[in-house]
Amino acid sequence: MKKLYRGLLLVLSIAGFLALNGCTAVQEQVNPTQINSQWLNQSVTFDQKTITGILVVPVSSDPTTQRLYEDITSTTFTLNGIPSEPAYKYLSPGSGLLLQNGGLNLPILRQAAKNAKASDILVITFNGVKNQTVYNPGVTWGPDPFWGGPFGPGPFMGPGPFMGPGPMWGGWAIPPSVTTNQYLVSNIQLLLAKDYQTLWTASFTTLLEQFSNEKTIELYSQLLVQKLLSNGFMIPLQTPSYQIKAPVLNPGVTPAP
């Protein structure tokens, strides 16, 4: 009975350790991007919260990162019913989008949104990578005065040629470990194209190197869609282009049976 009780304690101890140290990791396995904080403009009207199209504008010094975010984010939005276009289709490399002070050239951005027939502009900025060090102290178990080895030595099942001291019940441990994770910090702004009014802004952190870059950006974009909808932004209902339409019959011709 004592053996069963102590075995149960061992299992519960391990489960508790994994729960305390792995709850964040489990969450990040679902989506490596988490929202830190957000602000929603409470004064916007119903019409202003109705999105008919988005121009996706990532701002990065790395052209590859910028193109990946433009393509994958606009594709993910479109697949979720939000018509979206990547900015590079409407902004040439020398368009002067970035000003010397690091700000955006709003008139150029507005013209690009107009050409894309976008009601809104989604600006994604990247604020660097931060390191987070996680220290796990480890877990130890044993030795046990009753079950010092695999069923011995102890007062009930003393040493023998087959049941002598061993690692099973003599002691058990998860050694301490130090892990350094890298997180990409980003900020998004949803702007109304016609007057640059900020409708929504949010800060995110993304755990790097858990998935491929493409998968990470896709999950990032899916989280943006979820947050847009949960904050009350609306998408007009449209008839999908792939919907099969009923054939138009000539009223003067009787269809064949």
Side-chain angles (χ1 to χ4, degrees):
M1 184 68 181
K2 287 183 178 181
K3 174 184 173 183
L4 177 61
Y5 173 72
R6 294 178 183 277
L8 179 60
L9 286 180
L10 174 60
V11 173
L12 292 177
S13 176
I14 298 172
F17 172 79
L18 294 176
L20 290 175
N21 292 277
C23 58
T24 301
V26 170
Q27 186 180 23
E28 286 169 343
Q29 284 178 1
V30 176
N31 193 329
T33 298
Q34 304 297 321
I35 187 169
N36 302 321
S37 59
Q38 62 177 330
W39 174 84
L40 180 65
N41 190 339
Q42 300 294 337
S43 65
V44 296
T45 65
F46 177 86
D47 289 340
Q48 290 172 332
K49 295 187 78 170
T50 301
I51 300 174
T52 57
I54 287 181
L55 182 69
V56 179
V57 188
V59 180
S60 174
S61 58
D62 180 6
T64 302
T65 297
Q66 183 166 324
R67 293 292 184 267
L68 284 173
Y69 270 87
E70 284 176 312
D71 280 337
I72 297 175
T73 302
S74 59
T75 299
T76 302
F77 275 35
T78 301
L79 291 175
N80 283 274
I82 307 175
S84 304
E85 291 284 353
Y88 68 80
K89 288 186 177 181
Y90 305 93
L91 293 170
S92 61
S95 61
L97 175 63
L98 290 178
L99 302 176
Q100 291 184 351
N101 62 2
L104 295 175
N105 190 326
L106 295 179
I108 290 179
L109 195 58
R110 181 180 181 181
Q111 184 60 46
K114 182 178 180 181
N115 294 339
K117 298 181 180 179
S119 60
D120 300 85
I121 302 168
L122 184 74
V123 179
I124 306 173
T125 55
F126 304 99
N127 304 318
V129 176
K130 69 175 184 179
N131 295 325
Q132 182 183 68
T133 301
V134 179
Y135 174 71
N136 293 322
V139 170
T140 59
W141 180 271
D144 191 309
F146 293 100
W147 310 98
F151 313 108
F156 300 109
M157 302 184 72
F162 301 104
M163 310 184 81
M168 183 74 177
W169 297 100
W172 180 89
I174 294 179
S177 64
V178 176
T179 304
T180 300
N181 296 323
Q182 288 191 318
Y183 290 86
L184 175 65
V185 182
S186 62
N187 189 81
I188 65 97
Q189 278 186 292
L190 183 67
L191 307 175
L192 198 62
K194 66 179 181 180
D195 60 6
Y196 319 124
Q197 183 178 178
T198 300
L199 304 179
W200 175 58
T201 182
S203 173
F204 298 87
T205 53
T206 302
L207 176 62
L208 300 177
E209 298 183 358
Q210 180 174 346
F211 302 109
S212 66
N213 289 339
E214 291 79 4
K215 183 64 176 179
T216 298
I217 299 172
E218 180 185 349
L219 293 172
Y220 180 94
S221 304
Q222 290 175 1
L223 181 60
L224 293 185
V225 172
Q226 294 171 10
K227 295 303 177 182
L228 280 172
L229 298 179
S230 65
N231 279 307
F233 290 94
M234 290 154 287
I235 309 167
L237 295 177
Q238 298 179 354
T239 302
S241 59
Y242 55 81
Q243 181 173 331
I244 300 175
K245 298 180 180 180
V248 178
L249 300 178
N250 188 331
V253 178
T254 302

